[in-house]
Amino acid sequence: MPKNLEDINLLLLSLFLLVFVTPILFIFFNIFNDSNETWIHIQNYLLHDYIVNSLIIVVAVAFITIILGTSLAWIISMYNFPGVNLFRWLLILPMAIPAYVNAYIYAGINETSGILFNFFELYFNSGASVYDLYDIRNIYGAILILSISLYPYIYLLCLPALSNHSSTVFEVGQSMGLNRLQRLTKIGIPIIRPAVIAGVSFVIMETLAEYATVQYFGVPTFATGIFRAWFVLGDETSSFFLSSILLTLIFLLVYFEQLSRGKKRFANPINNIKPIKVENISRKVRYSLCAYCSIILAIGFLIPVLQLIYWISYSFEEINLIFVLSLLNSSAIIALISSILILFFTINVAYLIRSNKNLFNNFLSKTLSVGYAVPGVVLAVAVIGPVSMLENSLPSIFGFEPITILSGTFYLLIVAYLIRFSTISLKTLDSGLNKISNNYDHLASSFGLSKLQILFKVHLPILLPTIYTAMILVFVDIVKELPITLILRPFNFNTLPVHLYELAESENLSSMGMPGLILIIICLIPVIILSRGIMNNESK
């Protein structure tokens, strides 16, 4: 392939990098603006609540998800009890329900139209007493919802971390007189420490980025503060100040997570891994473990799905199936277009990083790796900021009437998706490319093939399964994305998450049965892919 095509490809990737970093740099540059009355008001009356509530939620969710994720991975790996092989992948299912959907569902469960109220009212005539017993719409409810929605990320990483270690290390601990708890704390936890750190870092980033759950439960955090400053108070400066604080915290988290790993290696030193031998436990303990897994699965997946089915059952005649399908069509089209563009760029980036080890490519890799860490509400503000400035500046420079070039268009929405979700595709493709020996490249080069020819004729055919996986993961993440779509979508363009958000805002929770169930079914696709990957990894 001609050399000039490679140069064009490199130019496109450079422009992609520019598009990627401009919104983030724009936020940090704007912190040097003079403060105004709105920002002074936020500092005096609101910033304390944003900081305190965000910290409380982050610490509590991190603690609970660590307990749930590590304990479930430990008992699934170490003990034999009824249904253990089924629970191994069923416990991943709560990942299929976005946190904001869980928030709406559990709020509905605790309303007079929910299963809980109707059950106690029908059988015990005490529905009103149960309804007045507690309120889930507060910071404690937000912590519960986020914890049950995010614990699978830690469970997913800890399960193979335990399975890929030989049982010899645990047998040595047992021979030294360590009981079950001591083997967990002195052997198990050090083994899964890297997995826990990686998982909890992701959980913290997702918690800080969550907008809809905390907004619906009335908890002021950085995410709700940024949205309120820009779209309610109409103050760009304050939203940039809050965004810069939140971004700084997240980037520090990413840095310390990478620093904590350093050059340490936690791989199993034994070449022939001896499968972990499950312990013999009493019948009482076996059923207790089964009950524990069942409760977590019920809270995280079964109860929400049953509530959606219950809503569908008594409002089926009122469901506008054509409208729901049109929402699905809108979500699918924008997700498909965006995921194809993301794949096009990230395939080029992944191969460029593989084939050329230099400073630019190293910077490109590290920069694109932090895209997913940027919260959706921050990214939406970061993207719309420079575009608004450009659109306001052009009329005065060229002397024509103010026009909208990018604001409220699909182009801006796709750019935001490109920045946020490229990380997922890039990491997936990197893992696939790393499995391809460099000998393929050397052999193809010896036949006179250029780098782009090697990519198209050698790597892409081998990478097809990885490409399909990356596309599905990106597609589903875009389909369930809420803050970016809510803020940047064109006028009269609705998706399933936006429609669910509007139903929740209008307190019409009983109408979200069908669209909510469809969204969960779509989100089940990557969960199935991930569960199959775990099973294959554990069977090796």
Side-chain angles (χ1 to χ4, degrees), residues 65-308:
T65 52
I66 288 174
I67 297 298
L68 292 177
T70 55
S71 63
L72 289 170
W74 177 260
I75 64 178
I76 291 291
S77 300
M78 295 295 171
Y79 305 114
N80 186 23
F81 55 90
V84 62
N85 292 324
L86 196 59
F87 282 122
R88 189 181 299 274
W89 67 271
L90 283 178
L91 290 169
I92 309 173
L93 293 182
M95 283 182 67
I97 307 180
Y100 59 86
V101 175
N102 257 333
Y104 302 153
I105 292 172
Y106 272 98
I109 288 175
N110 290 277
E111 295 294 334
T112 53
S113 62
I115 293 177
L116 192 65
F117 177 90
N118 287 307
F119 174 79
F120 280 96
E121 182 68 20
L122 180 63
Y123 293 102
F124 303 100
N125 197 29
S126 59
S129 301
V130 173
Y131 179 77
D132 295 331
L133 188 62
Y134 65 95
D135 181 19
I136 197 173
R137 296 194 190 187
N138 50 44
I139 190 171
Y140 306 107
I143 291 170
L144 172 65
I145 296 300
L146 290 170
S147 298
I148 63 174
S149 301
L150 298 176
Y151 85 82
Y153 292 104
I154 296 179
Y155 171 75
L156 268 172
L157 294 172
C158 290
L159 195 61
L162 284 169
S163 300
N164 289 338
H165 275 75
S166 175
S167 65
T168 305
V169 291
F170 300 104
E171 292 172 358
V172 170
Q174 188 173 6
S175 66
M176 296 174 63
L178 300 181
N179 58 33
R180 292 171 184 167
L181 181 60
Q182 290 173 326
R183 291 199 296 276
L184 170 62
T185 56
K186 296 185 178 181
I187 300 176
I189 290 179
I191 285 175
I192 63 175
R193 176 179 170 269
V196 172
I197 292 176
V200 78
S201 298
F202 188 86
V203 166
I204 291 174
M205 287 188 289
E206 285 290 303
T207 303
L208 287 172
E210 181 59 34
Y211 164 73
T213 299
V214 291
Q215 185 270 340
Y216 188 67
F217 283 7
V219 184
T221 63
F222 273 108
T224 61
I226 293 166
F227 188 93
R228 184 172 182 267
W230 185 287
F231 295 96
V232 178
L233 301 178
D235 184 57
E236 299 177 4
T237 302
S238 298
S239 65
F240 287 139
F241 286 161
L242 291 171
S243 297
S244 64
I245 296 172
L246 182 56
L247 270 184
T248 302
L249 292 175
I250 290 176
F251 287 162
L252 285 175
L253 173 67
V254 173
Y255 171 75
F256 284 119
E257 189 273 330
Q258 294 177 348
L259 190 66
S260 67
R261 284 185 285 173
K263 296 183 179 180
K264 298 176 182 177
R265 296 182 62 86
F266 293 82
N268 180 33
I270 302 173
N271 293 327
N272 296 320
I273 297 177
K274 182 181 178 182
I276 294 176
K277 184 179 180 181
V278 295
E279 291 190 36
N280 293 320
I281 50 178
S282 65
R283 183 177 180 181
K284 181 179 179 181
V285 174
R286 287 201 301 270
Y287 284 101
S288 296
L289 296 179
C290 181
Y292 174 59
C293 293
S294 300
I295 291 171
I296 300 300
L297 179 62
I299 296 174
F301 186 78
L302 296 180
I303 292 176
V305 170
L306 287 175
Q307 177 64 51
L308 290 176

Side-chain angles (χ1 to χ4, degrees), residues 389-533:
M389 180 178 290
L390 177 65
E391 291 175 344
N392 293 331
S393 301
L394 287 178
S396 59
I397 295 174
F398 296 101
F400 54 76
E401 293 295 324
I403 58 172
T404 298
I405 302 174
L406 293 174
S407 297
T409 65
F410 289 107
Y411 304 111
L412 203 60
L413 187 60
I414 291 173
V415 167
Y417 290 151
L418 195 68
I419 295 172
R420 177 157 170 77
F421 298 110
S422 292
T423 305
I424 300 171
S425 179
L426 185 60
K427 294 294 185 183
T428 306
L429 292 169
D430 273 340
S431 66
L433 280 171
N434 289 335
K435 296 176 182 178
I436 301 176
S437 173
N438 289 325
N439 293 332
Y440 287 92
D441 300 70
H442 299 324
L443 182 61
S445 297
S446 68
F447 284 100
L449 297 181
S450 67
K451 291 179 180 177
L452 282 180
Q453 286 176 319
I454 295 173
L455 172 62
F456 282 103
K457 294 185 178 181
V458 178
H459 290 302
L460 288 186
I462 300 175
L463 279 175
L464 277 180
T466 304
I467 292 173
Y468 294 149
T469 301
M471 185 166 182
I472 290 172
L473 293 175
V474 173
F475 177 88
V476 174
D477 261 12
I478 293 175
V479 166
K480 68 180 183 180
E481 169 62 33
L482 177 59
I484 293 176
T485 312
L486 182 66
I487 296 171
L488 299 179
R489 65 193 170 116
F491 182 69
N492 278 342
F493 176 75
N494 261 12
T495 61
L496 284 171
V498 172
H499 181 61
L500 291 173
Y501 176 84
E502 292 173 344
L503 289 175
E505 287 297 294
S506 62
E507 293 298 332
N508 188 12
L509 297 177
S510 59
S511 296
M512 63 174 56
M514 183 62 74
L517 189 61
I518 291 175
L519 183 60
I520 291 174
I521 292 172
I522 295 173
C523 294
L524 274 172
I525 298 172
V527 171
I528 294 172
I529 293 174
L530 289 171
S531 63
R532 287 181 61 186

